[in-house]
């Protein structure tokens, strides 16, 4: 289970503290797929980062009783001076996975060619995203965090990602942020709406979209 209890997040700015959201409560169980809806700037990606552990809440508690991925297509955790191959080895070591039998898969899936053995700092944002997605597939997470993964690569690469994640790992829990309504409807059983600094969780995706439509500001 993943459980957020009274979670708040505030950032310090030049004009003073800005609270993104407060007293957020959310629970996701094994195999459950939950969409998170909200306008740009509402804090959806911030929630994803808090769940992943990339950021800490200002207050409240985030409990992870199953293994959780980093936000898919997010390459911020890479060491720029290391090659894609060395980043694979490093991340695999952190998560207790054997990297050597995964090299062929990551090299082929990411389609980086010779750049796989070049420093990540030379990569474009798309190349970093493809590497991040490929590496995330070699660690068997219980829950995948998906932040607009449909935007990664061209249509052919997107289909390859969809098959690898949603078909081969369809039994895993997922928390999905996307502006694509059909994407959420297709892959999620439940949804939550982040609006006005508060998160509202619903038993069905359609209920969530009805609430979302009524409360857009």
């Amino acid at each position: 289970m993943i459980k957020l209890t009274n979670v708040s997040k505030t950032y310090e700015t030049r004009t003073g503290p800005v609270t993104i959201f407060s007293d957020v409560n959310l629970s996701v169980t094994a195999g459950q797929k939950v969409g998170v809806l909200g306008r740009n700037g509402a804090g959806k990606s911030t929630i994803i980062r808090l769940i992943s552990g990339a950021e800490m809440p200002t207050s409240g508690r985030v409990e992870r009783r199953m293994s959780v991925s980093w936000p898919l297509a997010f390459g911020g955790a890479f060491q720029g001076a290391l090659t894609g191959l060395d980043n694979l080895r490093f991340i695999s070591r952190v998560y207790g996975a054997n990297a050597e039998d995964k090299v062929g898969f990551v090299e082929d899936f990411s389609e980086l060619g010779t750049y796989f053995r070049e420093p990540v700092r030379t990569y474009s944002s798309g190349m970093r995203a493809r590497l991040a997605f490929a590496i995330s597939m070699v660690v068997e997470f219980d829950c995948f965090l998906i932040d607009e993964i449909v935007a990664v690569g061209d249509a052919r690469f997107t289909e390859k990602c969809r098959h690898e994640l949603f078909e081969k790992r369809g039994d895993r829990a997922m928390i999905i942020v996307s502006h694509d309504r059909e994407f959420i409807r297709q892959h999620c059983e439940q949804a939550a709406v982040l609006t006005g600094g508060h998160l509202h969780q619903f038993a069905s995706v359609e209920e969530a979209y009805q609430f979302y439509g009524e409360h857009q500001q």
Side-chain angles (χ1 to χ4, degrees), residues 172-190:
R172 314 298 169 83
M174 297 181 187
I175 301 174
I176 302 175
V177 169
S178 176
H179 288 97
D180 186 332
R181 293 194 176 204
E182 289 309 312
F183 186 77
I184 292 289
R185 287 188 172 106
Q186 181 179 2
H187 297 295
C188 297
E189 306 141 355
Q190 299 181 19

Side-chain angles (χ1 to χ4, degrees), residues 59-200:
S59 62
R61 176 194 280 184
V62 179
E63 298 177 71
R64 306 173 192 86
R65 299 177 186 173
M66 52 185 171
S67 59
V68 180
S69 77
W70 54 85
L72 299 197
F74 173 69
F78 288 141
Q79 293 295 322
L82 298 180
T83 66
L85 174 58
D86 288 336
N87 270 281
L88 165 62
R89 288 170 172 159
F90 175 76
I91 292 170
S92 296
R93 191 157 50 245
V94 169
Y95 286 95
N98 179 10
E100 297 312 311
D101 62 356
K102 310 292 194 307
V103 171
F105 170 84
V106 173
E107 188 169 17
D108 178 68
F109 193 95
S110 63
E111 302 177 5
L112 293 173
T114 58
Y115 281 98
F116 185 56
R117 290 172 173 77
E118 295 294 327
V120 168
R121 66 168 176 262
T122 66
Y123 290 12
S124 67
S125 59
M127 292 165 69
R128 290 168 69 96
R130 295 202 306 274
L131 178 65
F133 187 92
I135 293 178
S136 70
M137 293 297 101
V138 304
V139 181
E140 294 301 327
F141 294 111
D142 298 319
C143 178
F144 287 94
L145 305 178
I146 303 166
D147 193 349
E148 295 288 1
I149 189 64
V150 290
V152 176
D154 57 20
R156 180 191 55 79
F157 192 82
T158 297
E159 173 59 24
K160 188 165 71 165
C161 291
R162 187 201 63 77
H163 176 76
E164 194 68 32
L165 179 60
F166 294 110
E167 293 189 16
K168 289 189 176 181
R169 292 163 181 79
D171 60 334
R172 314 298 169 83
M174 297 181 187
I175 301 174
I176 302 175
V177 169
S178 176
H179 288 97
D180 186 332
R181 293 194 176 204
E182 289 309 312
F183 186 77
I184 292 289
R185 287 188 172 106
Q186 181 179 2
H187 297 295
C188 297
E189 306 141 355
Q190 299 181 19
V193 179
L194 185 59
T195 182
H198 298 283
L199 187 72
H200 307 267

Side-chain angles (χ1 to χ4, degrees), residues 20-26 34-40 42-44 47 175-178 181 184 190-217:
I20 306 301
F21 46 73
S22 58
D23 298 323
V24 163
N25 293 282
L26 177 69
V34 177
V36 179
L37 317 177
R39 297 183 64 192
N40 288 335
K44 304 183 302 298
I47 284 182
I175 301 174
I176 302 175
V177 169
S178 176
R181 293 194 176 204
I184 292 289
Q190 299 181 19
V193 179
L194 185 59
T195 182
H198 298 283
L199 187 72
H200 307 267
Q201 193 167 5
F202 295 89
S204 75
V205 172
E206 294 309 319
E207 286 180 89
Y209 270 116
Q210 181 176 348
F211 178 89
Y212 181 48
E214 293 171 352
H215 290 81
Q216 289 192 75
Q217 301 173 357

Side-chain angles (χ1 to χ4, degrees), residues 9-28:
K9 184 63 179 179
T10 299
Y11 291 105
E12 294 295 332
T13 71
R14 293 181 179 181
T15 58
V18 175
T19 298
I20 306 301
F21 46 73
S22 58
D23 298 323
V24 163
N25 293 282
L26 177 69
S27 62
V28 179

